[in-house]
Amino acid sequence: MSKSTEHRKHAQECRALAHNVQNDEHRAQLLKMAAAWDSFAVDRERIELQQRKEEPPGGHLSPTGVSGPWTGGLASAKPELKPLKPRSGKSMPR
């Protein structure tokens, strides 16, 4: 079961509990919880969709075991840092 499906299930459980609660404050709190779970589900669906788009053709994982394009380790290399040059006519604060 996907995380988004689990979140939707929790939202439905909160709504079912709210339906049976007599206390208005408790009912309102349960409905807020249901709305939060629905929001989590939407966010998770967006993440799952993005992950599917990033998978390489054929749905295979990269050699690192992480879905997405394989960079051959180049992505972990540190970028070359160049010293900053002061602007002409102005000194840099110390």
Side-chain angles (χ1 to χ4, degrees):
M1 178 183 307
S2 73
K3 286 289 184 185
S4 60
T5 302
E6 287 180 38
H7 296 335
R8 295 237 186 255
K9 182 179 176 186
H10 293 313
Q12 185 57 37
E13 290 171 355
C14 289
R15 280 189 286 276
L17 288 170
H19 182 72
N20 295 321
V21 170
Q22 299 297 321
N23 184 301
D24 290 339
E25 289 179 36
H26 293 168
R27 183 181 312 108
Q29 187 62 37
L30 284 163
L31 293 174
K32 284 181 185 179
M33 290 171 60
W37 280 114
D38 283 331
S39 179
F40 296 151
V42 169
D43 291 344
R44 189 62 203 177
E45 287 167 349
R46 189 176 302 121
I47 291 168
E48 291 167 356
L49 179 63
Q50 185 63 36
Q51 287 174 342
R52 278 180 277 183
K53 287 181 180 178
E54 291 176 357
E55 283 184 8
H60 299 290
L61 294 178
S62 67
T64 62
V66 178
S67 65
W70 182 56
T71 61
L74 296 178
S76 63
K78 293 182 180 178
E80 180 183 340
L81 299 177
K82 297 179 182 178
L84 295 174
K85 296 179 184 178
R87 295 181 182 178
S88 61
K90 295 183 181 180
S91 62
M92 293 182 65
R94 295 195 185 253

